[in-house]
Amino acid sequence: MTAKAKHLDLWQVSKTYQSAQGPVEAVSDVTMSIEEGDFVSILGPSGCGKSTLMMMLAGLESITDGVVVERGRQVTGPREDVGLIFQDATLLPWLSVLDNVLFPVKILKKPRNEYLRRAHDLLAMVGLSKFENHRPSQLSGGMRQRVSICRALILDPPLLMMDEPFSALDAITRDEMNLALLDIWQKNPKTGVFITHSIREAVLLSDRVLVMGGRPSKVVCDIKIPFGRPRPDDIAESPEFNKLCGELKQYIQSGHKHMEEVST
Ligand SMILES: Nc1ncnc2c1ncn2[C@@H]1O[C@H](COP(=O)(O)OP(=O)(O)OP(=O)(O)O)[C@@H](O)[C@H]1O
C-alpha cells in the first residue's frame, strides 16, 4: 500500500496571545501531519486552543513558535486554496444566494461565467436550486449554512477548514448537515479539518480524530477511525462506533479535569 502524501505538516507549533492580563499560552508544541484527502476532526474542552490551531493552519493567526508547511510550502498568511466555514454562516444579506456562493469569485476577480455552472451544481447538491434568487433572510439557519458550504467549495479548494459549523443548528438539521457533508466528501474528496464539541459527529465524519487538552494545550489523543466510505447508514448504531465514542469521551474528560485543576 502506498503512503498518502502529507497535506499539512506541523512542527513544534505554539501560540501565546498577549492580553491585558498577561500572556495566554493557547497552544503548545504541536507536532503532527495531516495526509491528503483525510478528514480530521479536533475535539477538546472549551478554551483548549482548537480554533487557535485551525486559524494558524489557515494562515489567519500568526504562529509564535514552530512551523506549518502546506504541501511543501511554509504557511505565512492567508491563501486562496483553503475553504473556510464558521459557526455563523456570515452571508452578505443584500446578495442573493447565488451571488453569495459566487462572492469569492468576485473578490478574487475571477471570470464569473466560468464558475456559474459550478455554483448551480453545488446549490443543487445541497438541495437549494429553488432558492438561488432568495436573500439569506428568507432562509432557515440550516439552509444558510448550506449556502456557506457552497461558497467555501466554489473555488474547489483542496483543503476545507470548518470551525463548529453546525453547532448553532437544531439536532435534526445538524444530523441532516452531517449527512450532506458525508455526501459532499464522497463525491468530491478533499482534505478536511473539522472542529466540533460533538464526539458522535467527529466519529461519524472523520478518518481521524484528535483530542486537545491540558494547559498549555497539546494533542493528547490521536485516533484513526476504522470505518470505510461510504459510511453505512446505520454506522452510528454499531457497537464499534459507540466504543470509540466512549474512549474519546474519557480522553476529553481527563483533559477537562486537567484544565480545571490548572485554572483553580
Ligand atoms: N485574541 C486573543 N487574545 C487573548 N487570548 C485569546 C485570544 N483568542 C483566544 N484566546 C485564548 O486562547 C485560549 C484558546 O482559545 P480558543 O478559542 O482557541 O479555544 P477553543 O478550544 O477553540 O475554545 P471553544 O471550544 O470554546 O471555541 C483561551 O484561553 C482563549 O481565552
Side-chain angles (χ1 to χ4, degrees), residues 17-19 24 26 44-53 164 197 215:
Y17 290 106
Q18 299 302 332
S19 75
V24 181
S46 193
C48 73
K50 302 178 297 294
S51 299
T52 301
L53 184 66
E164 299 188 46
H197 282 280
R215 204 50 143 183

Side-chain angles (χ1 to χ4, degrees), residues 16 88 90 95:
T16 303
D88 184 24
T90 61
L95 292 182

Side-chain angles (χ1 to χ4, degrees), residues 19-86:
S19 75
Q21 290 72 37
V24 181
E25 206 175 353
V27 173
S28 165
D29 196 18
V30 174
T31 297
M32 64 162 182
S33 301
I34 294 179
E35 292 169 338
E36 296 271 356
D38 265 5
F39 190 113
V40 178
S41 285
I42 304 178
L43 287 167
S46 193
C48 73
K50 302 178 297 294
S51 299
T52 301
L53 184 66
M54 194 190 98
M55 295 298 268
M56 290 193 287
L57 298 182
L60 294 171
E61 188 62 75
S62 64
I63 298 164
T64 310
D65 269 315
V67 180
V68 175
V69 174
E70 186 192 13
R71 292 177 157 175
R73 292 173 72 175
Q74 187 172 343
V75 171
T76 53
R79 52 207 191 278
E80 274 182 41
D81 59 355
V82 184
L84 290 162
I85 304 172
F86 296 101

